[in-house]
Amino acid sequence: MSRRYKVLALVGDGIAHEIVPEALKVLEAVQAAYGFDLEVIGPYEFGAKYYADHDMMEGWDPTVTRELLFEADCWFKGPVGLPEYLNRLPGPYLPINQRLDMDVYANVRPCRLRPGVDSVLVGREPGDIDYIVLRENTEHMYVRAGGQLSRGGETELAVDNYIQTRKGCERIIRYGYELARSGDYKGKVGAPVDGKKRLTCAAKWGICRGDNLFKAVCEELEPGYPDVETDYAWIDAWSYWAIMRPGYYDVAVMPNQYGDIMSDMSGAIQGSMGMAGSINAGDRHCYAEPTHGSAPDIAGRGIANPTSMILSVGMMLNWPGDKRRDNRLKDAWRGIDAAVDRVLAARSVRTPDLGGADSTAEFGDAVVEALDSP
Ligand code: NAD
């Protein structure tokens, strides 16, 4: 009998309440189209507001146990957090802690200019931009190794330690080479400008010791991937070149915080934050979430672009597809990706961030309608 995949759905804050239902619609439709079975668990509330309104010191919601996260074949969440709850919630609610807890070391954040989307960069056409920011997800400034000195109730000094390990560098750089080889999550294999598979290692060596190690490990691994061109860029220069010649890039691997920042910049490069999907992937677990946050400035109006969430759940299916060698799931990722492109290319349904006047739900419905069977 064919395996039934367990997928857990978590909602989050702000626009999560609007975009998660659209991803659920697409998951429902894609099962029928591609002939596999998902057991969708949830959606459960998972946001800062929900926990603040309940007994937030209890830790996890009793339904959403840590075991449930670990048992699922994969899971997804809408963005979590609202500015008014910053630093007021206990640890388990922070996405960063899940990344460490589940050891999902690869944050895959594609940047692709899709058909029907106008670029913020002059003269760029769909197909000209198609790269992945591959962000290391478990080290660097975000491991919260540090402390602070307070006197008389006033914080006088705060220290964050920048951690980079050989193991951490090695596994993310290998992941980057494999991504460049497979072309997964991209429109086409290779860089748009010349079709070459290329791994760009971007960090700030010569200044940060962790980044010296990151580059050194990449240099050690480079000879093992002769079919992929290796390119090195200081991260500050990369932020310039990504705008000036985005088509040169294929997969750009970088330490955690740089990847966080560069992937938001890449949200703009692909036309809107609402286009920016992502997965957090490790060797044993994977979960999907958009690159962006809860967008409190537009929440509750039904106008958020659900593309980011829809593309994220598509990417999420690819992960168990690889793990279980189930091509139906890999095809479903491609199918969702292509359906989004068809809707955007038609320019008939689009949310306000892309210059349209349609709602989140109307866009989700259009994607469902555009889904083909393989
Ligand atoms: P944001 O990413 O929520 O918003 C930045 C801009 O992008 C806003 O103008 C917003 O309207 C727009 N935008 C984002 N998603 C969109 C979509 N789908 N459609 C159309 N426009 C969209 O960044 P922020 O305002 O700095 O953060 C808000 C909250 O989200 C903060 O509390 C932050 O901590 C949290 N956050 C959570 C995550 C996560 O859960 N992984 C990531 C980043 C920020």
Side-chain angles (χ1 to χ4, degrees), residues 95 142 177 273 288 345:
Y142 291 176
Y177 277 118
M273 278 311 282

Side-chain angles (χ1 to χ4, degrees), residues 15 77 79-83 273-274 289 292-298 305 353:
I15 60 166
K77 60 178 261 298
V80 169
L82 288 166
M273 278 311 282
E289 62 182 342
H292 57 74
S294 57
D297 53 341
I298 58 166
N305 186 346
D353 57 312

Side-chain angles (χ1 to χ4, degrees), residues 107-129:
N107 188 192
V108 182
R109 296 186 152 183
C111 175
R112 194 186 323 159
L113 186 58
R114 290 176 181 267
V117 176
D118 300 323
S119 179
V120 295
L121 304 180
V122 177
R124 304 291 178 187
E125 299 293 330
D128 289 352
I129 304 174

